[in-house]
Amino acid sequence: MPFYQDPCHYVCSIFTLHTGLKRDHKLKYHGRLQYQLYLKGMGLTMEENILFFQREFTKIMTANEFKKKYSYNIRHLYGKEGHCKSKSPYDCRRIILNPSPHSSKQHHGCPYHHCNEEHLSELLAATKLSSSDREEILQLKKNQRHNMACLKHFELMHPDAKRRVDVGLLMEVGSHPNAWTAASLAYHHNEGTEMGEIL
């Protein structure tokens, strides 16, 4: 099963985008950009990225409408349109510095930074964390330790990760969504073993 079909591999910011996409069958500009670049960083080809979004968007529009309004932007991210410069996935700093979401239809950003405590708690509950685990993460958010909240979320979702995932990869977990997913993939690939390579 591709990693993007299993939400256990999603950092909270991507989980928010994914659930918003599945619910609304569309994402606003900043959300599309953040999610499309993340998928690009995880190795999806331009064609796979277009198909991934087309499958959802065409639940509320025609394939022709999707092609006219949205496929150009994905091609642009891969350097196939415009100035022909390939774009890199956003790290956590860039995600936090982007404009804050202003409506329930906007799903971009960092939940540890942009969401209120109630909303963040609901998101964390959807990832099957206990109330005591959620409280631990919320305390880090209250102290504005967003990266540490993200890292704590990873550790709670991946017990014993320090033994099963390369330490270099773990060090990036709280600073880049793609590192979170790569570490999660490595963790699940290595269940029952010591450390190993990512798929």
Side-chain angles (χ1 to χ4, degrees):
M1 169 169 47
F3 75 90
Y4 52 82
Q5 291 179 0
D6 189 351
C8 85
H9 299 305
Y10 284 157
V11 65
C12 210
S13 59
I14 302 302
F15 181 76
T16 304
L17 288 166
H18 187 73
T19 54
L21 177 64
K22 291 294 184 181
R23 186 187 72 216
D24 302 336
H25 309 299
K26 193 173 182 180
L27 289 173
K28 298 287 187 182
Y29 174 76
H30 290 291
R32 287 194 313 271
L33 194 57
Q34 184 178 331
Y35 201 3
Q36 289 164 351
L37 286 170
Y38 161 82
L39 291 172
K40 178 181 183 245
M42 290 310 303
L44 262 68
T45 65
M46 182 182 73
E47 293 78 14
E48 290 169 331
N49 209 324
I50 290 171
L51 185 59
F52 178 83
F53 281 90
Q54 184 175 351
R55 282 184 182 143
E56 261 331 297
F57 279 46
T58 54
K59 292 178 180 176
I60 61 168
M61 67 181 66
T62 67
N64 197 39
E65 284 176 298
F66 174 83
K67 185 177 180 183
K68 283 182 181 177
K69 293 180 181 179
Y70 301 104
S71 62
Y72 172 90
N73 289 336
I74 298 172
R75 293 193 311 272
H76 188 271
L77 298 177
Y78 283 81
K80 303 299 181 190
E81 299 285 355
H83 292 100
C84 298
K85 292 182 181 176
S86 183
K87 307 280 190 271
S88 298
Y90 291 167
D91 63 12
C92 294
R93 184 176 185 280
R94 173 75 186 267
I95 290 169
I96 286 171
L97 293 176
N98 266 345
S100 297
H102 295 294
S103 79
S104 62
K105 296 287 185 187
Q106 292 182 309
H107 308 290
H108 66 279
C110 169
Y112 305 109
H113 178 75
H114 294 115
C115 290
N116 63 37
E117 290 173 29
E118 182 181 346
H119 187 192
L120 179 57
S121 185
E122 290 170 6
L123 286 172
L124 295 171
T127 66
K128 310 286 191 260
L129 287 179
S130 70
S131 58
S132 62
D133 289 343
R134 293 195 304 269
E135 195 51 49
E136 198 173 345
I137 293 171
L138 290 171
Q139 190 57 51
L140 289 165
K141 178 204 173 15
K142 286 177 194 172
N143 295 332
Q144 298 185 5
R145 301 186 71 199
H146 310 115
N147 297 56
M148 292 305 295
C150 186
L151 182 57
K152 175 55 72 176
H153 184 196
F154 182 88
E155 290 171 353
L156 292 167
M157 296 287 291
H158 304 84
D160 201 27
K162 289 178 182 169
R163 190 176 64 81
R164 291 162 56 180
V165 179
D166 180 82
V167 72
L169 193 54
L170 281 177
M171 289 176 66
E172 296 295 319
V173 164
S175 62
H176 205 296
N178 293 86
W180 208 99
T181 299
S184 180
L185 289 168
Y187 175 89
H188 289 286
H189 178 66
N190 296 321
E191 282 185 312
T193 66
E194 294 295 318
M195 295 187 301
E197 296 294 317
I198 299 174
L199 289 172

